[in-house]
Amino acid sequence: MDQLQAVSCSSTNLLFHKSDQAIQAVLTGDKETEASSYGDGRVLRKKINKVVLAYSGGLDTSIVVPWLRENYGCDVVCFTADVGQGSIELEGLEQKAKASGASQLVVKDLKEEFVRDYIFPCLRAGAIYERKYLLGTSMARPVIAKAMVDVAREVGADAVSHGCTGKGNDQVRFELTFFALNPELNVVAPWREWEIRGREDAIEYAKKHNVPVPVTKKSIYSRDRNLWHLSHEGDILEDPANEPKEDMYMMSVNPEDAPNQPEYVEIGIVSGLPVSLNGKELSPASLLSELNEIGGRHGIGRVDMVENRLVGMKSRGVYETPGGTILFTAVRELESLTLDRETIQVKDSLALKYAELVYAGRWFDPLRESMDAFMEKITATTTGSVTLKLYKGSVTVTGRTSPYSLYRQDISSFESGQIYDQADAAGFIRLYGLPMRVRAMLEN
């Protein structure tokens, strides 16, 4: 028996040893990636052969290309994900990337994957961050980062890079996804290394390295757009006391200027996921696109909030999520028919944690994946349709139906007593209120 235990312990120690070696290799790689100094002011960085850069074509990511080549001596492959940001932002990207020094540009259409595999699970879970935020940017980062890992494997890159600043949430979301899907990839974040501190520095660097500076007018706002939402930050929004200017909005009309007649829409839902609009079955991305247009013309989905960033600071942002607001209302309303009280309470409590994990970039965390399995199971009977009235910024539920409805008119009706005998309530109330009666007797 002692010999068997010794063999077992030896095998376990060997497994732990191999695991430690693997982890140590990753940690060592992290240390080697960090910049160190020669002693004369020059910076020595780890040699990288090829890097995949998250590329938008704007000034910031355009200057990252020559900076990577200059400081890491590597080949730069630019990657752009189409998550519904609009065709204008995708125009001329290949020419811009190559003019900046990139060897190639890879573009992937991720719209359907984004809505199907990221947005809809959050919708089914009821995930809302800090009461208001429908996680538009948070959901987009893992699908982009996952695609970058795939592209890195396809082109043989040993590193990935992004243009996120060191003050925001996106750097965390990108890098946690990299760690989860390929921990051996080197990660380069120029904003945490270089000495460029603002737009003027960036323009000067671009001119020095013959990088074509985008001629489009610089927005006074920092924006992020995808098929789910459009976010606005910066300028006057940095003061929470300032009302947003109306010309800032791009996806929705002012509710005051919306049509004077309401519009009704019917959302078909199967197992907690939207499948049709007004009786017409559509793909996830197509369904969301149509609802964005409909909701936008009625001023639906504007949110102004102060949120707590993952890195510790508070920030003020304004979000436009017209289609998403409609879908959230529809799914939640259908659940009022198909889920019992205890299930709704547990689901809502888990939804808070689910939203927190997504906001923090932990999409590929086993906890979120396990919670998602629960959400899928618990909403298996959330099937049916919901009719909504859209009018001047408001979404009102006018009807809901489900073949799995737990609502029984023959029980709820005041005129029927065949299943529910009202006389039974007296005994229930006496037992349910017993603790309160005992406490009152003690106090008296």
Side-chain angles (χ1 to χ4, degrees):
M1 187 65 179
D2 291 341
Q3 289 179 339
L4 289 175
Q5 288 179 337
V7 171
S8 177
C9 289
S10 177
S11 300
T12 302
N13 289 335
L14 179 60
L15 289 173
F16 277 125
H17 179 65
K18 289 183 177 180
S19 177
D20 288 343
Q21 284 183 324
I23 294 174
Q24 189 61 40
V26 173
L27 295 178
T28 301
D30 288 342
K31 292 178 181 179
E32 290 177 351
T33 306
E34 295 176 358
S36 59
S37 176
Y38 277 110
D40 59 0
R42 292 181 298 154
V43 175
L44 173 64
R45 291 181 172 90
K46 180 180 178 180
K47 181 69 172 72
I48 291 175
N49 295 318
K50 184 180 290 188
V51 60
V52 174
L53 167 67
Y55 183 75
S56 67
L59 174 62
D60 292 345
T61 53
S62 293
I63 63 173
V64 168
V65 178
W67 186 89
L68 287 170
R69 296 184 63 191
E70 182 179 32
N71 290 273
Y72 283 89
C74 58
D75 180 22
V76 180
V77 175
C78 288
F79 170 73
T80 299
D82 182 0
V83 288
Q85 62 267 47
S87 58
I88 295 179
E89 293 190 27
L90 300 174
E91 291 178 359
L93 281 185
E94 185 173 8
Q95 294 86 341
K96 291 180 183 178
K98 291 186 175 180
S100 299
S103 61
Q104 68 179 111
L105 172 72
V106 178
V107 179
K108 287 195 175 185
D109 186 344
L110 303 179
K111 292 192 292 292
E112 290 292 350
E113 179 183 355
F114 176 38
V115 181
R116 182 188 66 241
D117 298 340
Y118 295 81
I119 290 177
F120 276 10
C122 288
L123 178 65
R124 177 175 59 198
I128 301 176
Y129 182 72
E130 295 191 337
R131 306 169 184 168
K132 288 185 175 182
Y133 179 40
L134 298 183
L135 299 168
T137 302
S138 309
M139 296 183 295
R141 296 310 180 236
V143 70
I144 297 172
K146 176 181 178 294
M148 290 178 65
V149 173
D150 294 339
V151 171
R153 183 181 62 254
E154 294 166 5
V155 302
D158 54 343
V160 284
S161 180
H162 60 75
C164 306
T165 70
K167 287 187 176 182
N169 299 312
D170 284 342
Q171 58 181 334
V172 182
R173 296 165 182 157
F174 272 109
E175 294 181 34
L176 290 190
T177 301
F178 298 150
F179 294 160
L181 301 182
N182 188 350
E184 296 183 359
L185 279 174
N186 295 295
V187 179
V188 183
W191 274 100
R192 300 202 299 257
E193 295 185 33
W194 64 18
E195 296 181 355
I196 297 173
R197 290 294 175 264
R199 182 169 174 81
E200 296 304 318
D201 290 347
I203 292 176
E204 189 63 32
Y205 185 91
K207 292 179 179 179
K208 181 180 178 181
H209 293 80
N210 297 317
V211 174
V213 178
V215 295
T216 55
K217 182 180 178 181
K218 174 66 176 178
S219 172
I220 61 175
Y221 302 103
S222 174
R223 288 188 169 104
D224 175 74
R225 184 167 189 164
N226 57 48
L227 201 55
W228 183 248
H229 87 159
L230 173 60
S231 66
H232 312 266
E233 292 181 342
D235 196 59
I236 66 167
L237 299 180
E238 292 185 351
D239 184 349
N242 289 334
E243 179 181 4
K245 295 179 179 179
E246 186 56 39
D247 60 5
M248 176 192 73
Y249 295 98
M250 301 174 67
M251 289 184 71
S252 59
V253 303
N254 188 331
E256 297 173 3
D257 300 326
N260 292 325
Q261 295 298 320
E263 180 172 355
Y264 290 82
V265 293
E266 181 185 7
I267 309 297
I269 298 168
V270 175
S271 297
L273 301 177
V275 296
S276 67
L277 173 60
N278 297 329
K280 179 182 178 182
E281 291 192 7
L282 297 167
S283 72
S286 298
L287 175 60
L288 181 55
S289 294
E290 289 204 23
L291 280 176
N292 278 335
E293 182 178 345
I294 295 171
R297 66 172 174 256
H298 289 279
I300 305 296
R302 292 185 175 188
V303 169
D304 183 343
M305 68 178 292
V306 175
E307 68 193 63
N308 291 290
R309 283 184 180 174
L310 181 63
V311 293
M313 70 182 72
K314 285 185 179 290
S315 66
R316 193 266 189 103
V318 176
Y319 301 98
E320 297 179 78
T321 319
T325 300
I326 296 172
L327 290 177
F328 254 92
T329 305
V331 171
R332 176 165 289 187
E333 191 61 30
L334 187 60
E335 288 178 348
S336 71
L337 289 183
T338 62
L339 302 183
D340 61 80
R341 177 179 58 193
E342 298 295 328
T343 299
I344 287 179
Q345 290 176 357
V346 172
K347 182 177 183 292
D348 285 350
S349 66
L350 290 178
L352 294 174
K353 184 61 178 178
Y354 193 107
E356 186 178 309
L357 290 171
V358 175
Y359 186 84
R362 307 188 75 91
W363 185 269
F364 294 99
D365 191 298
L367 177 57
R368 189 213 63 85
E369 294 173 342
S370 299
M371 292 172 67
D372 200 52
F374 168 82
M375 296 297 181
E376 182 178 1
K377 175 67 176 178
I378 215 68
T379 58
T381 58
T382 302
T383 296
S385 65
V386 177
T387 302
L388 306 163
K389 180 171 72 173
L390 313 179
Y391 181 67
K392 291 190 177 296
S394 68
V395 183
T396 306
V397 179
T398 62
R400 73 289 279 163
T401 180
S402 170
Y404 302 103
S405 175
L406 300 177
Y407 177 85
R408 291 283 298 270
Q409 187 172 350
D410 54 351
I411 296 177
S412 302
S413 174
F414 289 106
E415 300 178 1
S416 174
Q418 295 180 354
I419 298 178
Y420 183 96
D421 189 343
Q422 298 189 42
D424 293 340
F428 165 75
I429 294 171
R430 281 195 296 268
L431 294 178
Y432 187 68
L434 182 59
M436 300 179 70
R437 294 179 66 190
V438 171
R439 180 178 294 276
M441 291 167 63
L442 177 63
E443 292 175 350
N444 291 336

